[in-house]
Every structure is written in C-alpha cells, then in structure tokens.
Amino acid sequence: MAEKEKSFDKIEHPTKTYSLVELVKAPTIMVDKGPENTVFAFPLVAIVEILLALAVSVALLTMSFAVNAPLEELANPNVTTDPAKAPWYFMGLQEMLEHGHPTLMAVMMPSLMVLFVIAIPYLDNAREGAGKWFTNARGKKLTLYTAIYTLVVMPLYIVLDSKFPLREILRGTLPDFVLQYVFPALFMGAIVTLPLIVLFFSKPTAREVVLVLFTILFVGAVVFTLTGFLFRGPGFELYWPWNMPGGYNPFQNL
C-alpha cells in the first residue's frame, strides 16, 4: 500500500491540479487519458480562436472595400426580376424547390437534415478516435469516395430532373401526391441509400455510417447551392455560367 501511495505523490505537471477521486480495479476507460494529454483552454485555445475571428473580420472588411453593394431602386410589384434568386445562403433550398413539392423540399427534408445533425452525438458515442478528423485512414477513404459519389450523382440528378421532369411528363396520369412527394422522396432516398448499402457489406461502425451520411448532406448542400447560384439563369433554367442569355451574369449581384 505504501508503494501505491508513493506513486500518487509523483507530480507529472507542476502547473496542473491533481486530486484522487477514487480507486478502481484496472483496466478502466481512463487508461492513457491522463491530464498530461490535454491543453489549457485558456490561453492556448482561446488565443487561436481570437486570431481566427480577427482574420475572418479582416477578410470581410477587405471584401467590403473591394466589392460594391449599392442599394437598388424600390421593388416594382408589376415587374418580376428574371431570374428571381434568393440570397446565396438560401440558394440550395431554392434549387431543391425545383425538384419537388415545396412542403417536401423546403420543410420536410431540411427538417430531417437538422434532426440528423442534432442526433449525431447520440448515434455515435464511441470514444475511440474521438476528436480526430475522419477517425482513421478508413474514415478518410470513406469520406473521399462518398464525396466523389455525391459530386457525380447529385449534378446528374439535377440535370436529368430538369430536362426530363417526371412531374410534368406524367402530369394528369398519376395523382399529384405521387408526382410531387413520392417520386422526389424516392429519388433522393435512393441517392442516400445506395452508398449505405455498399458500406454495410464491410460491417461499418456507427461512426462510419455517420461519416457517409454527413458527407452526402454536406456535399449535396454545396452542389445544390452552386447549381442555383452559378447555373440557373433566366427562367431559372440551366445554363453554363459563361453562356447566360441576355447578358445575365450570376456574379453581378453577389
């Protein structure tokens, strides 16, 4: 017992406070998790966060001097701007509205996305690899492959659904609920489910499933936002950014 007491007298870090809470039989989940593996939130982390905040502020201030943002004339209710685009941070939602009923695309699906993000800590509560980007090499590969998959499939879906919209082609032959809700939900669900089906053959962990789903969510949001911002022109039709009709420039009102 004297030898054990002696081991607690050893101070690993003179500037940290140690206290003995209880003695438990080894092994425990706190093995190799001692305070020597930590850093002080203040000032080390706080200084980095302050510097990042200052850098972002300087970048925004510089952009405000470089990019002109004049006020336009009062809105005329008799004249509709073409294309009428939402601010860039809502552009993804506006693009989604082109592919299904507003209730589905602007309310139900975004709500599911938010609920998924909220549920992530409860879906993945494993301690192994916590705090590490992508957890391990396998996580990096899964994220990369999922990002590539989403970058290919999402634009393809947007183009095909814009050029050959089943909601318009089958209008009058099927109920509107099927065309506006069921079909878009099935298409989006298939895009999300396909990589999960492939992943399940390799017996994934909960974190790997979350990585795949979050990558699809993040990359998909970027694709929808950029599509609405760069590739939608007059009539909200798809055009190449350098081939917009009527001299429209997607960057002119940035």
Side-chain angles (χ1 to χ4, degrees):
M1 185 65 182
E3 184 177 351
K4 290 185 178 180
E5 291 178 352
K6 184 178 179 180
S7 64
F8 289 110
D9 294 335
K10 183 180 178 181
I11 303 300
E12 297 289 344
H13 199 295
T15 62
K16 293 185 177 181
T17 301
Y18 296 82
S19 62
L20 177 61
V21 179
E22 63 177 326
L23 294 175
V24 296
K25 293 183 179 180
T28 72
I29 60 173
M30 293 306 295
V31 173
D32 297 328
K33 301 292 183 181
E36 60 273 5
N37 294 329
T38 62
V39 296
F40 288 104
F42 184 85
L44 299 180
V45 178
I47 288 178
V48 174
E49 293 175 345
I50 292 173
L51 291 176
L52 288 174
L54 289 174
V56 172
S57 300
V58 171
L60 291 176
L61 183 62
T62 303
M63 183 179 294
S64 67
F65 283 113
V67 179
N68 190 23
L71 292 176
E72 298 180 351
E73 64 277 2
L74 293 176
N76 186 352
N78 298 319
V79 178
T80 302
T81 305
D82 186 22
K85 290 188 177 183
W88 68 267
Y89 41 85
F90 285 138
M91 190 59 66
L93 286 176
Q94 186 174 3
E95 177 61 33
M96 289 178 65
L97 292 174
E98 291 292 307
H99 305 281
H101 194 277
T103 303
L104 174 67
M105 291 298 183
V107 178
M108 298 174 66
M109 283 195 174
S111 298
L112 288 176
M113 297 174 189
V114 172
L115 290 175
F116 165 69
V117 174
I118 294 174
I120 286 178
Y122 304 97
L123 298 175
D124 173 28
N125 53 15
R127 299 302 303 167
E128 183 180 358
K132 295 181 180 179
W133 281 95
F134 313 111
T135 302
N136 50 37
R138 175 179 163 87
K140 292 180 180 179
K141 289 183 179 179
L142 286 175
T143 304
L144 176 61
Y145 294 155
T146 306
I148 295 174
Y149 162 82
T150 310
L151 284 173
V152 172
V153 174
M154 282 297 186
L156 185 62
Y157 166 71
I158 291 173
V159 172
L160 291 178
D161 190 60
S162 298
K163 298 299 182 182
F164 309 100
L166 291 180
R167 300 181 309 282
E168 301 299 330
I169 296 174
L170 300 178
R171 184 183 295 274
T173 61
L174 292 175
D176 286 343
F177 177 80
V178 175
L179 297 175
Q180 298 290 344
Y181 285 89
V182 177
F183 279 1
L186 287 177
F187 291 145
M188 296 297 290
I191 292 174
V192 175
T193 305
L194 182 59
L196 292 179
I197 295 175
V198 176
L199 179 64
F200 281 135
F201 284 105
S202 60
K203 297 180 179 179
T205 63
R207 180 165 301 165
E208 290 171 348
V209 174
V210 169
L211 275 175
V212 169
L213 289 174
F214 187 82
T215 303
I216 295 174
L217 171 62
F218 178 78
V219 178
V222 172
V223 169
F224 275 95
T225 300
L226 291 180
T227 300
F229 178 72
L230 290 177
F231 297 94
R232 291 290 183 180
F236 218 69
E237 298 292 336
L238 288 175
Y239 299 96
W240 292 111
W242 55 84
N243 194 31
M244 293 286 180
Y248 172 73
N249 181 7
F251 294 96
Q252 66 185 4
N253 293 322
L254 180 62

